[in-house]
């Protein structure tokens, strides 16, 4: 694919300025120029473009510096420039959120999915959410969906999803191109990492681990039994680590053996009762954390975030961690890694999917990235914003 250097540089400059305002609402033009090491005239021209497109607005005046002079005009991203639809799709249910450009939840909803076929289920949920999105009276900028499986988000391909019985499905070409806004797709655990990246966007947090734990029922299509599903996401240097096959973070317990019907060494009967029996749940937590101990030791993360259904059992999980996992605690202390439960819980994947879009929207494109599916062109964004 041939890259237009002029257009690339223009998009990169706009992204740098917009990202800086997004991360630091209330920043001034002078501070932006100083932080990005750009000429003030360049920053002024870009900001005027963003103001004309209704992406940025001038807020209140700032304080006069010790050198005197005019009060600086503080800048903010227009909260109503657009919204994003974030989805989590499972074989039997969906969760959806509509967020503004700062990630604030405007609406959220969950419910059953009638269609077991992934493309039909996606279309079903999007149509169900359409009137909810329209009720915000804010332009829809994009849609992102998270699902269990190995996903290539760069080319919008579901490489493998056992729950949906999919392999090498080109979602972008088959479905994404039929919508008037950008459509992204991501692994569900990686969505949680995008949520954390957006939440801590103005902090030095660089290396962390996200662990998604969700309960699933019996899947009639694949024969997979009920139990707990676990996925992980690794963030290195502030960026998601996908691995050469996009399979980084695929979890297998240290007690798993070939022939076991889940990711764990627990049997089918135990997994079927895990939601009702606290002792079985404790056994599960111990096996999970013992499996994570070498990961934390080798990876040396700043934080380990827990997401999903596990957060609804926070008291029980914390008790097991405090009283029965001394080895993991010592490793966590040694590498100075904190354990943190997500406050989003059940909506984490959907909110993380929306956060992925925001992360892409306000990211600076890299010239080395020749895969164009995940590129967002600012002229296209401007057209969506001013379309209202």
């Amino acid at each position: 694919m041939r890259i237009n250097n002029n257009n690339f540089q223009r998009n990169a400059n706009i992204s740098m300025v917009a990202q800086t305002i997004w991360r630091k609402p209330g920043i001034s033009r002078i501070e932006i120029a100083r932080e990005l090491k750009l000429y003030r005239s360049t920053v002024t021209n870009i900001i005027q473009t963003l103001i004309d497109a209704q992406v940025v607005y001038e807020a209140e005046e700032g304080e006069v510096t010790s050198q005197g002079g005019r009060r600086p005009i503080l800048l903010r991203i227009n909260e109503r420039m657009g919204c994003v639809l974030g989805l989590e799709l499972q074989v039997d249910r969906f969760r959806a959120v509509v967020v503004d450009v700062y990630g604030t939840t405007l609406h959220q909803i969950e419910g059953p999915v009638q269609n077991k076929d992934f493309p039909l289920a996606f279309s079903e949920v999007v149509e169900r959410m359409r009137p909810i999105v329209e009720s915000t009276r804010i332009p829809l900028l994009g849609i992102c969906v998270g699902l269990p499986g190995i996903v290539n988000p760069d080319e919008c391909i579901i490489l493998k999803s056992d729950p949906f019985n999919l392999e090498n499905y080109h979602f972008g070409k088959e479905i994404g191109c039929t919508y008037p806004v950008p459509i992204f797709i991501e692994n569900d655990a990686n969505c949680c990492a995008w949520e954390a990246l957006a939440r801590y966007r103005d902090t030095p947090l660089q290396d962390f681990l996200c662990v998604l734990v969700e309960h699933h029922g019996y899947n009639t299509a694949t024969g997979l039994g009920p139990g707990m599903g676990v996925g992980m996401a690794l963030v290195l240097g502030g960026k998601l680590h996908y691995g050469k096959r996009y399979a980084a973070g695929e979890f297998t317990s240290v007690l798993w053996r070939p022939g076991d019907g889940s990711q764990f060494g627990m049997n089918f009967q135990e997994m079927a009762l895990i939601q009702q029996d606290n002792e079985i749940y404790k056994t599960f937590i111990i096996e999970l954390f013992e499996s994570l101990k070498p990961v934390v030791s080798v990876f040396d993360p700043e934080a380990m975030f827990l997401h999903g259904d596990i957060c609804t059992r926070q008291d029980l999980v914390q008790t097991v961690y405090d009283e029965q996992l001394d080895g993991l605690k010592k490793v966590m202390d040694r590498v100075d890694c904190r354990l943190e439960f997500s406050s989003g819980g059940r909506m984490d994947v959907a909110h993380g999917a929306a956060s992925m879009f925001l992360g892409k929207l306000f990211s600076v494109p890299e010239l080395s990235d020749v895969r164009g599916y995940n590129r967002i062109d600012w002229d296209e964004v401007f057209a969506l914003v001013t379309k209202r």
Side-chain angles (χ1 to χ4, degrees):
M1 180 182 70
R2 187 167 184 155
I3 298 175
N4 183 319
N5 285 328
N6 291 334
N7 186 59
F8 175 86
Q9 190 60 57
R10 177 175 179 273
N11 269 280
N13 287 340
I14 292 175
S15 293
M16 283 193 293
V17 173
Q19 181 191 73
T20 303
I21 301 172
W22 182 61
R23 286 182 169 174
K24 299 181 178 181
I27 195 171
S28 68
R29 290 171 172 82
I30 295 175
E31 291 171 319
I32 294 172
R34 185 183 303 123
E35 182 167 322
L36 298 180
K37 296 179 173 58
L38 292 175
Y39 291 115
R40 291 187 186 180
S41 59
T42 301
V43 171
T44 297
N45 290 336
I46 292 172
I47 288 173
Q48 191 58 53
T49 297
L50 292 170
I51 289 175
D52 292 343
Q54 303 173 45
V55 171
V56 167
Y57 68 93
E58 295 178 332
E60 70 277 9
E61 293 183 339
E63 296 296 325
V64 177
T65 65
S66 58
Q67 288 78 27
R70 298 173 57 186
R71 290 178 179 271
I73 302 298
L74 307 185
L75 302 164
R76 296 182 185 275
I77 298 292
N78 179 9
E79 296 87 344
R80 298 188 63 80
M81 67 168 275
C83 65
V84 179
L85 175 59
L87 306 175
E88 177 191 7
L89 278 183
Q90 300 283 350
V91 291
D92 57 349
R93 68 181 186 274
F94 77 93
R95 295 182 179 117
V97 298
V98 182
V99 305
D100 67 15
V101 290
Y102 280 112
T104 302
T105 300
L106 304 177
H107 294 281
Q108 66 179 45
I109 186 175
E110 58 182 307
V113 174
Q114 302 302 319
N115 287 291
K116 304 304 179 185
D117 178 79
F118 182 81
L120 293 178
F122 174 81
S123 300
E124 172 193 334
V125 174
V126 170
E127 286 306 309
R128 181 168 178 177
M129 293 300 298
R130 188 184 300 277
I132 296 175
V133 172
E134 292 174 350
S135 71
T136 66
R137 299 185 180 277
I138 302 176
L140 179 65
L141 299 179
I143 302 170
C144 185
V145 56
L147 75 155
I150 301 174
V151 175
N152 175 350
D154 295 317
E155 299 176 77
C156 207
I157 299 173
I158 302 172
L159 298 175
K160 185 174 179 61
S161 176
D162 288 334
F164 284 104
N165 198 25
L166 290 174
E167 191 165 349
N168 293 321
Y169 180 71
H170 290 252
F171 181 78
K173 294 180 179 179
E174 298 290 337
I175 301 296
C177 63
T178 64
Y179 286 82
V181 296
I183 306 290
F184 292 164
I185 194 165
E186 180 61 284
N187 164 267
D188 50 6
N190 286 343
C191 286
C192 295
W194 283 106
E195 188 276 332
L197 284 168
R199 180 159 36 98
Y200 290 99
R201 59 181 174 268
D202 192 27
T203 69
L205 186 66
Q206 292 288 299
D207 303 321
F208 59 87
L209 170 69
C210 289
V211 182
L212 173 66
V213 183
E214 291 193 308
H215 183 265
H216 56 81
Y218 178 75
N219 187 329
T220 56
T222 63
L224 295 175
M228 305 300 289
V230 174
M232 293 192 300
L234 305 174
V235 173
L236 299 168
K239 293 184 178 181
L240 263 161
H241 175 68
Y242 286 100
K244 64 181 182 299
R245 297 182 298 107
Y246 294 91
E250 288 294 297
F251 176 85
T252 301
S253 165
V254 292
L255 298 182
W256 179 87
R257 296 293 180 269
D260 289 345
S262 71
Q263 298 167 287
F264 292 84
M266 302 171 67
N267 60 43
F268 285 110
Q269 291 76 16
E270 290 173 317
M271 276 294 183
L273 296 173
I274 196 167
Q275 290 288 77
Q276 295 80 34
D277 191 315
N278 280 350
E279 292 306 313
I280 294 177
Y281 199 90
K282 289 178 183 178
T283 301
F284 162 74
I285 293 300
I286 292 171
E287 184 175 341
L288 170 63
F289 280 134
E290 286 295 332
S291 300
L292 292 174
K293 184 167 61 176
V295 177
V296 173
S297 180
V298 172
F299 178 34
D300 188 26
E302 302 164 67
M304 175 162 57
F305 299 109
L306 300 181
H307 299 266
D309 295 332
I310 196 172
C311 297
T312 65
R313 310 288 292 273
Q314 180 173 342
D315 291 342
L316 177 62
V317 175
Q318 189 69 55
T319 299
V320 173
Y321 177 77
D322 291 337
E323 298 178 358
Q324 301 186 52
L325 292 162
D326 190 56
L328 175 62
K329 288 176 63 179
K330 287 181 179 178
V331 171
M332 296 278 282
D333 291 340
R334 189 184 75 221
V335 302
D336 194 22
C337 174
R338 71 180 189 270
L339 180 68
E340 186 174 316
F341 291 83
S342 167
S343 60
R346 293 166 61 83
M347 304 304 291
D348 273 354
V349 174
H351 201 282
S355 298
M356 177 191 179
F357 183 90
L358 295 176
K360 294 292 183 183
L361 176 64
F362 292 108
S363 67
V364 180
E366 298 179 7
L367 194 59
S368 59
D369 182 13
V370 298
R371 293 166 297 191
Y373 190 90
N374 270 352
R375 282 209 184 123
I376 299 177
D377 187 278
W378 275 102
D379 285 332
E380 295 175 3
V381 174
F382 297 156
L384 291 170
V385 173
T386 57
K387 189 178 179 181
R388 74 179 95 191

